[in-house]
C-alpha cells in the first residue's frame, strides 16, 4: 500500500503540468454540457472527442476523456433536479427527491448537496483504486454469471418494495420494463425477439428514449394539466444558501458513506452506475431513521443516488485498466481509446506503463475537484433558469427532448417511440403506476436474463448453483432478506397490535 | 516565330484542359463530412479497426472532409447495416464490419441481403486462437480434445450464432467432440471469465486475450490457421505469437478460420465512389501506422477489393451456410 | 375540482389504460410464441421469460381492470376539456416539430416551432419570441456542429450550411 502511495506521488508528478490541468478543466466543462443534454450522455460525449486524442500523448488523452466523463456525470444531475429529466441514465434516481426539492424553491440546496456528495464519493472511489488496486482486481475476478445474476437480483430487491400504491400496478410497470428490455437481438440464442418485423426494433429500444419520453414529454403533459405547478419558482440566488447547505452537509455522513460503499462495489463488480444509484436510493429509503418522506424532497434522497453514481463511475476505472473489463458504457469507449493509443489493458498495464496508470489515477483526484468547483460555480446560473416563465421554458424543454431523442442514435423511428412513451408516461404518472421500478427493470432486465441463462448453461440447468459458492450464496441470501423485510415488518406490526389489544 | 506552333500549343492546352476537366468530372470526392458506421459496440475489434483507419486518414490528409464515427452495434451490428441501407447511393457513409454483413442475414430476420451493400475492401484478417485457463489439467490441444471427449468442457465466446460459435461448431465436428458453449457480450468478457476460471476455454482473437496471456491468466493452445503467426516480440518470458502451434498439427483438422475486417458502401453507389474509397483505403493500407496496428493486434494484412473480395465473401457464405444448416440455425 | 366539463373521468381512464397494458401483454405473448418458450436441459429458451412476463402483464392488467373499473371505481376528475385543450396545444405542435424536422432539418424546424409555441400559443410578445427562437436555434447549431462535431439533419438548408 505504501508502494502505491509512492506511485501515486509519481503520478501527481505526471498529471500536474499546466497543460494537463488545462485539459482537465476543458474536459470537465465540455462534459457538463454533454451531461446537461439528456440524449447525448457521457459515452457519446467521450466518443465524440476520441478522434481529437489520436495525435495526443496517451496520458494527456486519457486525462481529457476521463475529465469529460466526470463532468458529464455531474452535469446529468443538473437536468434531473431542475427539470425532472435525467441528463444521464445514472441520474434517474436523483430526480426522485431532487426535483421535488427544486419545486419547493430549494434548487440551490439540492444542486449543492448533489455536487458535494458527488465530489466526496468520487474521491473515495479514487482512494479505493489507489490503495486496494490489487485485491480489488482479484475480487472482480470472482464474478461469474452466477454472481452477476445474484448482484442484479440484490439491486432489484433493495429498490423495489411494494409499499403504498397498488401492487398490481407495480407489477404491470415492472413487466413493461422487462418487455422493453427484451426487444431486439438476444445475446444467448442470437435470435431476434419482440420486433414484430419492424427493422428499426432490431437494435432494441433505447433506454434513453424511454427515459426522455417518460420524464420529458410525460412530465410536460402532466404539467399542462396542472397549470399551478408550472408557476415559476422564486429561487434565492444568493451564495449564502449554498454556504449554509455546505455547512449542513456533513450531517448526512451516514447516507454519504453508505451510498459511496454501494457505488464502489457496483463500480468494481458488475452493476455499473445506474443500478448503483437505484440500489443506494432504495437502501437509504429503508434504513434512514425517522420515517422521512422520501420522494417528497428529502436531502438524503439526493445524496444517496449521487454518491453511488459517482463512486461507481470512478471505481469502474479499475476493472477497465486492470482487467480490460468495462463496467459502464463510458468505460467501454475509454477501453477502445486505450487500444488505439497502443496500450494493452490488463493486469500488466500497471507494470508496463506506470506513468500512464498513476498519471490517470492522480488526475482523477484533481479533475473531480475541478468538476465540483465548476459545477458549484454554475449553480446560480442554473437556479435562475427556474424563474423563467413556463410559456417559454416549456417549449424549450420540448425542443431539448426532440433533439435529445434524435442524438441517441440518429433514427427518426426513435422520435415516434418518444411520443408513444410520452403518452404512456402521462397515463402512468397520473394513474399512480410507479415509473421507477419500470426504469430499473429496463436497466437490469436483459442483463439479468443473460446472466441467468449463462448460469444455467454453466450449471447445465441446476438452479441450486446460486447457493453453492460463498459469494453467490451470500448475495442470494441478502436478496431474500431484502425481499422478506417488508413482510417481517408487516407481521411485527400485526403482532404489536395484537399485543396491545390483549 | 510563326503562329502555327502557338495555335497548336493552344489547341493542345485546350485539349489537355478538357481531358483534365473530364477526368475531374469522372472522379468523385466527398463534398461533405463523411460518416464511418461501426457495426459493433464501443471498444470492440471493429471499433478499433474503424478508429485506426480514421486516424490514419486524418493524420495523412487522405481526404479533405472531416470524418464522424458513429457506433451502431445494436443487434450484433444489424443496427449499423439497417442504417447504412437507409441511404442508398450515398458515398459519404461507409460501413465497417466483419463477415457479419453476409452472416447475419442467414441466421436472423434482418432487413438486408448480402447484395444490398457494395463490398469496398477487406483490409485485415483476424486470427482465432484456442485459449485455456493456466490451471487447466490439459497442456496441449490434443489433451484438451481428449478431455472434451471424456467430459463436459466449457467454451466461452462472443455472441451467439456469430463467428465464435460458428468456429466452435466447426471445431466440434472436426474433432468429434461436444462442448458447452456459453455466449458473452464480447470477447473481452470471455477473456475475463477465463481469467477467473469460470470457463475452461475460449476462441478469442489475439488482441482480445493478450492482456490475460501476459499476466499468466490465459494460455494459448493452438491457432486455427494454416501457417504460424508472425513472430513479433515475445509476449511472455518464454513465448511469442509464432510459438503457438497450429490446430491442424494438434489433431484438429480445421485448416483455416479467419475473420475479415472489411468496409462496405450502401448499394447503388456509383463506380467512381467505390473507386475513390478503394484508393483511399489502399493508401491507408500502405502506411506504417497500419503495419503497426496489424503487428500490435497480431492480424494478417491482406488487401482484397473488387472481385477478389466479392468472391471471398461468396465462398465464405457458402461454407458457413453448410455449418449453419447442420446446426439448424438458418432462418426460415 | 375543475369548472370545465370532463371528457375523461378517472374510472374511464383506468379502464382505458388497463386495456392498453393488457394489449401490450398480449403482444408480448404473441411475440414470444414465435420462439421456443420451454425449459431445456441447459436452461430457459429464448421465449421462456418474455412469454411469462407477457402473461403476468396480462393477468395484472385484468386485475387492475376489474378493480379500478368495477370493484373500486373512482368517478373523480381526470381530464377536463380545458386540460385536453392545453395538452393538445403542447403535444400537437411538438409532433409537428418532429415531422417538420424530417424535411426542414432540425434547426429550421426548431426555430419555426419556438416562434409559434412561444409567440402564438404562449402569447409572449412576438419580438421576444423570435429572438428566443433564433438564439436557441443558432446556439444549438454551434453546439452540435462545432463543439460536438455531430451533424444533425439540416434539410434544404444543408447546402447553405455547407457553404458557411
Amino acid at each position: 500500500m505504501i508502494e502505491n502511495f509512492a506511485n501515486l506521488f509519481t503520478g501527481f508528478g505526471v498529471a500536474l503540468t499546466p497543460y494537463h490541468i488545462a485539459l482537465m478543466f476543458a474536459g470537465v466543462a465540455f462534459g457538463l454540457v454533454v451531461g446537461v443534454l439528456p440524449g447525448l450522455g457521457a459515452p457519446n460525449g467521450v466518443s465524440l472527442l476520441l478522434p481529437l486524442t489520436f495525435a495526443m500523448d496517451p496520458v494527456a488523452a486519457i486525462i481529457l476523456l476521463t475529465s469529460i466523463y466526470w463532468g458529464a456525470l455531474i452535469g446529468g444531475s443538473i437536468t434531473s433536479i431542475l427539470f425532472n429529466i435525467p441528463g444521464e441514465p445514472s441520474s434517474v434516481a436523483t430526480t426522485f427527491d431532487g426535483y421535488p426539492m427544486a419545486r419547493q424553491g430549494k434548487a440551490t440546496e439540492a444542486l449543492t448537496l448533489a455536487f458535494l456528495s458527488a465530489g466526496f464519493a468520487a474521491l473515495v472511489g479514487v482512494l479505493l483504486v489507489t490503495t486496494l488496486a490489487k485485491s480489488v482486481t482479484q475480487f472482480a475476478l470472482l464474478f461469474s454469471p452466477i454472481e452477476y445474476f445474484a448482484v442484479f437480483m440484490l439491486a432489484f430487491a433493495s429498490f423495489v418494495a411494494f409499499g403504498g400504491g397498488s401492487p398490481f400496478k407495480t407489477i404491470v410497470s415492472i413487466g413493461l420494463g422487462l418487455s422493453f428490455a427484451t426487444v431486439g437481438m438476444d445475446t444467448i440464442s442470437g435470435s431476434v425477439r419482440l420486433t414484430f418485423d419492424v427493422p428499426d426494433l432490431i437494435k432494441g429500444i433505447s433506454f434513453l428514449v424511454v427515459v426522455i419520453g417518460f420524464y420529458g414529454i410525460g412530465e410536460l403533459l402532466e404539467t399542462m394539466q396542472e397549470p399551478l405547478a408550472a408557476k415559476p419558482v422564486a429561487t434565492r440566488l444568493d451564495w449564502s444558501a449554498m454556504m449554509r447547505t455546505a455547512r449542513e452537509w456533513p450531517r448526512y455522513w451516514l447516507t454519504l458513506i453508505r451510498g459511496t460503499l454501494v457505488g464502489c462495489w457496483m463500480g468494481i463488480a458488475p452493476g455499473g452506475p445506474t443500478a448503483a444509484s437505484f440500489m443506494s436510493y432504495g437502501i437509504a429509503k429503508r434504513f434512514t431513521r425517522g420515517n422521512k418522506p422520501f420522494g417528497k424532497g428529502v436531502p438524503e434522497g439526493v445524496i444517496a443516488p449521487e454518491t453511488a453514481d459517482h463512486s461507481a463511475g470512478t471505481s469502474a476505472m479499475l476493472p477497465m485498466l486492470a482487467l480490460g473489463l468495462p463496467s459502464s458504457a463510458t468505460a467501454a469507449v475509454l477501453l477502445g481509446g486505450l487500444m488505439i493509443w497502443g496500450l494493452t489493458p490488463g493486469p500488466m498495464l500497471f507494470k508496463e506503463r506506470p506513468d500512464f496508470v498513476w498519471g490517470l489515477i492522480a488526475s482523477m483526484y484533481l479533475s473531480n475537484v475541478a468538476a465540483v468547483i465548476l459545477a458549484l460555480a454554475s449553480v446560480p446560473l442554473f437556479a435562475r433558469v427556474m424563474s423563467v416563465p413556463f410559456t417559454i421554458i416549456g417549449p424549450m424543454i420540448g425542443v431539448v427532448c426532440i433533439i435529445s431523442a434524435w442524438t441517441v442514435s440518429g433514427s427518426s423511428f426513435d422520435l415516434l417511440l418518444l411520443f408513444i412513451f410520452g403518452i404512456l408516461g402521462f397515463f402512468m404518472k397520473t394513474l399512480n403506476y410507479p415509473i421507477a421500478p419500470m426504469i430499473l427493470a429496463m436497466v437490469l432486465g436483459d442483463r439479468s436474463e443473460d446472466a441467468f441463462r449463462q448460469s444455467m448453461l454453466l450449471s447445465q440447468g441446476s438452479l441450486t448453483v446460486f447457493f453453492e459458492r460463498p459469494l453467490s450464496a451470500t448475495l442470494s441470501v441478502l436478496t431474500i432478506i431484502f425481499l422478506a423485510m417488508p413482510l417481517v415488518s408487516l407481521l411485527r406490526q400485526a403482532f404489536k397490535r395484537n399485543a396491545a389489544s390483549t | 516565330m510563326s503562329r502555327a506552333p502557338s495555335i497548336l500549343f493552344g489547341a493542345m492546352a485546350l485539349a489537355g484542359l478538357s481531358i483534365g476537366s473530364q477526368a475531374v468530372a469522372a472522379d468523385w470526392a466527398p463534398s461533405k463530412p463523411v460518416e464511418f458506421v461501426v457495426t459493433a459496440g464501443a471498444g470492440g475489434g471493429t471499433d478499433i479497426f474503424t478508429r485506426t483507419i480514421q486516424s490514419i486518414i486524418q493524420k495523412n490528409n487522405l481526404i479533405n472532409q472531416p470524418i464522424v464515427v458513429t457506433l451502431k452495434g445494436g443487434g450484433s451490428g444489424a443496427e449499423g447495416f439497417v442504417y447504412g441501407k437507409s441511404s442508398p447511393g450515398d458515398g459519404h457513409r461507409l460501413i465497417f464490419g466483419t463477415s457479419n454483413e453476409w452472416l447475419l442475414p442467414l441466421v436472423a430476420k434482418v432487413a438486408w441481403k448480402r447484395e444490398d451493400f457494395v463490398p469496398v475492401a477487406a483490409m485485415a484478417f483476424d486470427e482465432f486462437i484456442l485459449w485455456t485457463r493456466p490451471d487447466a489439467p490439459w497442456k496441449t490441444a490434443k489433451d484438451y480434445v481428449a478431455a472434451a471427449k471424456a467430459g463436459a468442457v466449457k467454451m466461452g465466446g462472443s455472441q451467439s450464432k456469430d463467428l465464435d460459435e460458428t468456429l466452435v461448431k466447426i471445431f466440434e465436428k472436426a474433432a468429434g467432440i461436444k462442448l458447452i458453449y456459453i455466449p458473452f457480450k464480447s470477447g473481452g468478457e470471455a477473456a475475463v471469465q477465463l481469467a477467473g476460471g469460470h470457463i475452461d476455454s475460449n476462441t478469442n482473437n489475439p488482441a482480445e486475450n493478450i492482456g490475460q496471456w501476459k499476466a499468466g491468466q490465459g494460455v494459448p493452445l493452438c491457432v486455427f490457421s494454416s501457417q504460424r503467426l508472425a513472430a513479433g516480440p515475445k509476449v511472455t518470458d518464454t513465448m511469442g505469437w509464432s510459438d503457438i502451434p497450429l490446430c491442424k498439427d494438434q489433431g484438429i483438422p480445421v485448416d483455416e478460420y479467419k475473420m475479415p475486417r472489411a468496409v462496405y458502401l450502401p448499394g447503388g453507389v456509383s463506380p467512381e465512389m467505390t473507386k475513390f474509397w478503394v484508393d483511399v483505403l489502399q493508401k491507408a493500407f500502405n502506411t506504417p501506422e497500419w503495419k503497426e496496428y496489424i503487428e500490435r493486434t497480431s492480424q494478417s494484412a491482406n488487401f482484397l477489393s473488387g472481385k477478389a473480395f466479392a468472391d471471398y465473401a461468396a465462398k465464405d457464405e457458402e461454407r458457413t451456410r453448410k455449418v449453419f444448416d447442420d446446426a439448424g440455425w438458418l432462418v426460415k | 375540482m375543475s369548472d370545465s366539463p370532463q371528457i375523461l373521468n378517472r374510472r374511464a381512464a383506468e379502464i382505458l389504460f388497463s386495456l392498453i397494458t393488457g394489449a401490450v401483454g398480449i403482444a408480448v405473448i404473441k411475440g414470444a410464441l414465435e420462439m421456443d418458450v420451454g425449459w431445456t436441459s441447459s436452461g430457459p429458451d429464448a421465449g421462456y421469460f418474455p412469454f411469462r412476463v407477457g402473461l403476468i402483464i396480462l393477468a395484472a392488467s385484468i386485475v387492475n381492470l376489474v378493480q379500478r373499473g368495477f370493484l373500486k371505481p373512482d368517478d373523480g376528475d381526470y381530464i377536463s376539456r380545458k386540460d385536453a385543450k392545453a395538452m393538445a396545444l403542447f403535444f400537437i405542435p411538438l409532433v409537428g416539430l418532429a415531422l417538420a424536422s424530417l424535411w426542414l432539418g432540425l434547426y429550421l424546424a426548431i426555430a419555426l416551432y419556438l416562434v409559434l409555441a412561444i409567440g402564438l400559443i404562449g402569447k409572449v410578445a412576438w419580438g421576444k419570441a423570435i429572438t428566443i427562437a433564433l438564439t436557441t436555434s443558432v446556439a444549438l447549431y454551434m453546439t452540435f456542429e462545432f463543439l460536438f462535431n455531430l451533424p444533425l439533419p439540416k434539410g434544404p438548408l444543408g447546402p447553405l450550411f455547407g457553404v458557411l
Side-chain angles (χ1 to χ4, degrees), chain A residues 203-279:
Chain A
K203 68 173 192 285
I205 293 177
S206 162
F207 171 70
L208 286 167
V209 174
V210 174
V211 167
I212 301 166
F214 273 79
Y215 286 89
I217 308 279
E219 174 73 25
L220 284 170
L221 280 174
E222 195 190 353
T223 315
M224 293 297 158
Q225 206 192 6
E226 301 165 41
L228 275 183
K231 279 235 173 94
V233 184
T235 308
R236 291 180 307 275
L237 294 180
D238 54 345
W239 294 90
S240 68
M242 258 172 75
M243 293 312 291
R244 190 164 35 76
T245 315
R247 270 200 303 277
E248 284 170 13
W249 173 66
R251 220 193 283 160
Y252 305 107
W253 61 275
L254 189 61
T255 317
L256 279 167
I257 292 172
R258 212 162 35 202
T260 306
L261 289 180
V262 170
C264 286
W265 173 28
M266 295 292 267
I268 289 158
T274 309
S277 58
F278 273 92
M279 191 166 164

Side-chain angles (χ1 to χ4, degrees), chain C residues 78-91:
Chain C
Y78 190 62
I79 298 178
S80 70
R81 183 166 295 167
K82 212 172 104 206
D83 294 337
K85 197 182 152 206
M87 284 159 65
L89 272 180
F90 161 73
F91 195 74

Side-chain angles (χ1 to χ4, degrees), chain A residues 185-215:
Chain A
M185 184 82 72
D186 169 32
T187 315
I188 307 298
S189 71
S191 47
V192 174
R193 303 192 292 181
L194 303 187
T195 60
F196 306 101
D197 291 332
V198 179
D200 290 281
L201 282 177
I202 293 177
K203 68 173 192 285
I205 293 177
S206 162
F207 171 70
L208 286 167
V209 174
V210 174
V211 167
I212 301 166
F214 273 79
Y215 286 89

Side-chain angles (χ1 to χ4, degrees), chain B residues 246-265:
Chain B
L246 302 179
C247 291
K248 60 173 188 174
D249 295 343
Q250 294 275 314
I252 305 167
V254 178
D255 196 35
E256 185 148 302
Y257 191 82
K258 286 183 205 276
M259 167 164 71
R261 303 224 173 263
V263 185
Y264 308 88
L265 275 167

Side-chain angles (χ1 to χ4, degrees), chain A residues 418-470:
Chain A
L418 175 74
F419 289 112
I420 294 176
F421 289 129
I423 294 171
L424 270 183
F426 168 78
F427 274 113
M428 286 179 67
K429 270 177 205 232
T430 49
L431 296 175
N432 302 322
Y433 283 78
I435 289 178
M438 186 200 78
I439 299 287
L440 186 62
M442 216 185 148
V443 173
L444 293 179
D446 75 326
R447 291 170 70 193
S448 31
E449 192 196 347
D450 283 355
F452 181 78
R453 287 161 68 194
Q454 285 162 345
S455 308
M456 287 301 101
L457 285 168
L458 282 169
S459 74
Q460 289 297 286
S462 153
L463 280 168
T464 54
V465 72
F466 297 109
F467 295 92
E468 275 165 14
R469 282 195 300 203

Side-chain angles (χ1 to χ4, degrees), chain B residues 211-265:
Chain B
Q212 278 70 25
W213 188 20
K214 276 185 186 171
Q217 295 175 342
V219 179
L221 288 180
C222 67
V223 53
F224 293 96
S225 179
S226 52
Q227 52 187 329
R228 293 213 173 199
L229 300 181
K234 285 235 179 302
V235 180
T236 65
D237 293 339
T238 50
M239 275 180 91
W241 292 111
S242 58
D243 300 320
I244 305 172
L246 302 179
C247 291
K248 60 173 188 174
D249 295 343
Q250 294 275 314
I252 305 167
V254 178
D255 196 35
E256 185 148 302
Y257 191 82
K258 286 183 205 276
M259 167 164 71
R261 303 224 173 263
V263 185
Y264 308 88
L265 275 167

Side-chain angles (χ1 to χ4, degrees), chain B residues 313-323:
Chain B
K315 214 177 115 200
D316 186 75
E317 188 188 359
E318 198 189 306
R319 157 172 123 152
T320 320
R321 187 189 287 274
K322 275 189 204 119
V323 180

